[in-house]
Amino acid sequence: MVANTRKTVRNTKPAKERKPFLAAFRDQRFSFILGILLLAFTFYLTIAFISFIFSGDADQSKLELKWSELVFKSDIKVENKAGKTGAFLADVIINQAFGVASFIFIYILGLIGFRLIGRKRDTFYRNFTFAVLSIIWLSVMLGYIFMKTDGGSFIYLGGKYGFVAAIWLNSLVGKIGTLLILLAMAFVTVGVFFKSSIPWMIEKMKPREKPAKKPKDERHEDEEFDEEESVLQPEYIAPISKVIDNEDVVKAIFDPDGESDDHEHVRMEVDKGEPLVDHPAPVEAEVHHDDLLEIENPDEEEFVGDSTLPDYDPTLELSSFKLPVLDLLDDHHHGNAEVSNEELISNKNKIVETLRHYKIEITKIRATIGPTITLYEIIPAPGIRIAKIKNLEDDIALSLSALGIRIIAPIPGRGTIGIEVPNQNPEVVSMKSILGSKKFVESTAELPVALGKTISNETYMFDLVKMPHILVAGATGQGKSVGLNVIIASLLYKKHPSELKFVFVDPKKVELNLYSVIEKHYLAKLPDEDEPIITDIQKVKATLASLTVEMDTRYDLLKKAHARNVKEYNEKFIKRRLNPEKGHRYLPYIVVIIDEFADLIMTAGKEIELPIARIAQLARAVGIHMIIATQRPSINIITGVIKANFPARIAFKVASMIDSRTILDTPGANQLIGKGDMLISSGSAVTRVQCAFLDTPEVENICKYIADQRGFPTAFLLPEVEGGEEGVLDTDLTEKDELFDDAARLVVLNQMGSTSMIQRKLAIGYNRAGRIMDQLEVAGIVGPSEGSKARQVLLQDEYALEQLLNTLR
């Protein structure tokens, strides 16, 4: 036999050549460059994280796109200050990882970065380990506390890992056990990393004994003291400098500023050396109780009223008022047909057959019957691509001979693919059944709104305070006006007139006119205004300006009361903790409803859009909420400014996919079947709901029931706006702009009163051009503003202009 021999080949390369990667880290230049880059990335990530807290809600619809689509499509914009990459990183690290505890991750990166550039500290590994443990502990704790988060929230405080870990611990040891484990972990971590914490806690737990004082004449010079620390009473201060022992000298170290934590404790240091003599005793100052000054810093806005008085009742003025009853509504359930088993089986077989034509096998199918559609959930066989099923919408609609087929691929959180098929005989959802449902009756929401029923026949509700503003769109005759009436009726059935006020804007003059009879109960308007429903465009401008003034006034009141929102403010006012003599008052919620928003935008443009955007941005906390509706959801009507400030959208059936994307940022509204069928988008979730039916006679019954009861003396009066509804200008022509004459000649020569033309031709800023245009109006050269249209030029030739200019000089 020949023995197999294995020759060992040794690597003759030196260690430096074998591990060039590790050697690079030892190079000071490489480490410094890497540290600078890491610190720059840390700063970038900080901006992304902070911006995500404020703009993450608006960016959620973009972050759900594929990474490639999000990155390479330049028309996709995000609100995050760090751009699309920053928004993506923040969402992944915060929501998909450790929640708000991820901010500690920024500290860790900074720690590593400073170490790489040469700022090495002995406590690096200690700080690094403590930060890592803090991330894990805080994430799990927040996941445990906020296990049941609001479905409309865009941020998960504990992150995905914290939530999953908290769920696992709960299943393992229960909620109490999980809490004990987390507290124990915190105790151990603090004890290990802060060595003085345990002795401090032990010291605090010891009972304090007050040492007995000796008479002054019974003290001896040879009293023994603890070599480490002694407790001295004030009387012992004088003889400290005397000889205590032949070998030990006690030195008292005092706090020169008198800021010692405990005036009875004086730290003693014992040194070997010669005895000290002839040290003068410190002068002892006497402290009298009369010298003690008690300083108070009371909250000047906190007001303590008569404790014997009961809480303030905002409903007391109309204490006899009764909310509308269900008997005012009709029951539209009678004669509604149900989905038969034959229809279910037939649709199921057609779906399966159609999919098999394209070689798509399914393992399971089940049906959920809704009022107007039936949801068929299918589980495809392994290996089937979801996109392949998604592309078969038209083929399935053809096989079922039905319109409005909508495929949800996949259904979030279900692991199935949904196919929504309209019922042959749709059911009418009665408003009476919605308002009489247990979910609505027992709701504790501040502004509860019940819209209709979901696919699973559950009452769909939301709190308008949490929305906080809604954008409603839909083609003519698809249920938009009925939807507005449903929202209004929901609030009227829940809120007392002292707690809620409406501002109705109705350019068409007929949709919201029914509510004019409840003016003295629920409506708000400008002072000296005759019509409670606003229909004139100039009055709309004045009302929006008044609402901004009301918003600013409310913020001032909240600031003085140290309240974060109107709910906290009203609670303080009800408890009589705010002084009415200082301007405080009970603040009702104000809901602004604008029907046919497109007409306002086409007529007034930015003059309407900008105040609406400002109110939508800021008014949530002070209890002002907006609902705007339009039948033209085009991009020139629903602009980016409007969409950014109206996170909640309701889409009835629209004409095209483009309109659906404009309102919802996703297709689907063009596939609805009409008659109240709608999609509601809140955050990243889109829910299909059948709107309740509320007929015009029912609205009349509700309004008559309210109007027949005693109301307030007047409607709720909004603040007056300087300048009035005509938009009178306070411009002083004695201080005309130096380009006034040039601008006047330009306008008359072109016969077009355009601010942008003045800005462009004279090469000045828009604000200055606007001021010049105001001066031209006061001078009688141009007419008043007509929204987005150019102003009318009142002078026809340059000769008339020159005469006017000479007069003004």
Side-chain angles (χ1 to χ4, degrees), residues 93-168:
I93 297 175
I94 294 178
N95 277 344
Q96 304 298 324
F98 300 104
V100 295
S102 301
F103 279 87
I104 305 177
F105 180 69
I106 295 176
Y107 168 76
I108 294 176
L109 292 179
L111 205 63
I112 298 174
F114 281 114
R115 183 173 178 84
L116 288 174
I117 65 174
R119 296 186 62 179
K120 298 183 179 180
R121 299 180 60 182
D122 297 334
T123 59
F124 171 81
Y125 292 105
R126 175 181 177 274
N127 294 343
F128 179 86
T129 307
F130 181 74
V132 171
L133 293 176
S134 299
I135 286 183
I136 298 172
W137 182 88
L138 184 57
S139 175
V140 178
M141 176 59 82
L142 291 175
Y144 171 82
I145 296 174
F146 300 98
M147 197 169 296
K148 294 182 179 179
T149 57
D150 183 7
S153 176
F154 72 94
I155 188 171
Y156 301 98
L157 297 179
K160 180 180 179 182
Y161 292 156
F163 178 78
V164 172
I167 291 290
W168 176 74

Side-chain angles (χ1 to χ4, degrees), residues 173-193:
V173 295
K175 289 186 177 180
I176 297 178
T178 302
L179 180 61
L180 292 176
I181 289 176
L182 291 172
L183 293 177
M185 288 177 59
F187 179 81
V188 172
T189 304
V190 170
V192 171
F193 287 90

Side-chain angles (χ1 to χ4, degrees), residues 718-730:
L718 297 172
E720 291 191 64
V721 182
E722 295 182 3
E725 62 183 51
E726 297 295 332
V728 178
L729 299 174
D730 296 329

Side-chain angles (χ1 to χ4, degrees), residues 391-466:
N391 294 332
L392 297 178
E393 278 182 343
D394 295 337
D395 299 275
I396 296 175
L398 179 63
S399 66
L400 296 175
S401 302
L403 297 175
I405 296 292
R406 180 169 169 263
I407 295 181
I408 310 171
I411 298 178
R414 303 279 286 271
T416 59
I417 297 174
I419 302 176
E420 295 176 346
V421 180
N423 298 334
Q424 293 180 1
N425 299 301
E427 175 188 352
V428 177
V429 178
S430 172
M431 188 63 181
K432 185 175 184 178
S433 65
I434 297 299
L435 297 182
S437 64
K438 182 179 179 181
K439 189 173 184 179
F440 181 78
V441 172
E442 297 180 355
S443 173
T444 58
E446 288 295 309
L447 293 177
V449 175
L451 273 183
K453 288 189 176 181
T454 63
I455 296 175
S456 57
N457 271 306
E458 296 178 354
T459 299
Y460 182 86
M461 277 189 60
F462 61 81
D463 188 354
L464 183 58
V465 171
K466 296 180 180 179

Side-chain angles (χ1 to χ4, degrees), residues 252-284:
I253 301 178
F254 298 90
D255 185 358
D257 296 326
E259 298 179 354
S260 177
D261 292 337
D262 191 343
H263 296 289
E264 294 184 356
H265 289 71
V266 180
R267 184 166 57 89
M268 312 298 294
E269 293 182 356
V270 181
D271 294 331
K272 298 290 182 179
E274 297 295 327
L276 300 177
V277 293
D278 295 333
H279 283 259
V283 178
E284 296 181 19

Side-chain angles (χ1 to χ4, degrees), residues 595-611:
D595 192 19
E596 204 39 64
F597 176 67
D599 184 69
L600 299 180
I601 289 295
M602 292 175 63
T603 307
K606 295 292 184 182
E607 294 179 84
I608 293 293
E609 180 183 0
L610 295 181

Side-chain angles (χ1 to χ4, degrees), residues 393-394 403-406 651-661 663-664 666-674 677 679 688:
E393 278 182 343
D394 295 337
L403 297 175
I405 296 292
R406 180 169 169 263
F652 293 87
K653 182 176 175 61
V654 294
S656 65
M657 184 185 297
I658 296 176
D659 290 345
S660 177
R661 288 188 179 276
I663 180 69
L664 295 176
T666 184
N670 56 307
Q671 298 168 317
L672 300 176
I673 62 175
D677 190 16
L679 293 175
R688 191 168 186 175

Side-chain angles (χ1 to χ4, degrees), residues 12-78:
T12 57
K13 294 182 179 180
K16 187 174 182 180
E17 295 181 7
R18 289 200 303 267
K19 299 181 180 179
F21 181 77
L22 296 178
F25 278 90
R26 300 188 185 99
D27 189 307
Q28 186 177 5
R29 293 172 300 172
F30 179 83
S31 297
F32 184 84
I33 294 173
L34 186 61
I36 293 295
L37 293 177
L38 187 59
L39 290 176
F41 176 73
T42 303
F43 180 74
Y44 174 81
L45 206 60
T46 305
I47 297 175
F49 278 19
I50 295 174
S51 182
F52 180 79
I53 299 298
F54 298 97
S55 63
D57 196 5
D59 293 340
Q60 282 302 296
S61 58
K62 286 91 171 179
L63 295 175
E64 292 174 1
L65 300 173
K66 293 182 179 178
W67 170 247
S68 58
E69 184 178 359
L70 178 65
V71 170
F72 295 106
K73 286 192 175 182
S74 58
D75 59 334
I76 299 177
K77 307 293 184 183
V78 295

